[in-house]
Amino acid sequence: LLYALYEHGMGHTVAGWTAVVILESFLGGSILLAIGIVGEYVGKIYEEVKARPLYLIQKKTRISDIPG
């Protein structure tokens, strides 16, 4: 994008080329952002579907087993 603006400022571009590059950069970035958001949702759904407990109990003790 910066290169396209620089070349346009120097007058080394074909008419319309800069607009196409700017539009393509904007649309490409928007698509990548949207894919990233969808990826975050898919990752969270995957973690939730595994149905793992929030914590694991290592050992079960009764009150009568505690010294004192």
Side-chain angles (χ1 to χ4, degrees), residues 23-40:
L23 182 63
E24 187 175 328
S25 297
F26 175 74
L27 291 176
S30 300
I31 290 169
L32 287 175
L33 179 66
I35 289 173
I37 292 170
V38 170
E40 286 290 325

Side-chain angles (χ1 to χ4, degrees), residues 45-58:
I45 290 170
Y46 174 72
E47 289 296 324
E48 190 67 29
V49 166
K50 289 197 277 187
R52 291 186 175 168
L54 295 177
Y55 53 88
L56 298 174
I57 299 173
Q58 183 176 8

Side-chain angles (χ1 to χ4, degrees), residues 1-9 13-14 16-30:
L1 180 64
L2 293 176
Y3 173 74
L5 291 174
Y6 172 76
E7 289 295 319
H8 179 71
T13 60
V14 178
W17 181 81
T18 307
V20 170
V21 171
I22 291 172
L23 182 63
E24 187 175 328
S25 297
F26 175 74
L27 291 176
S30 300

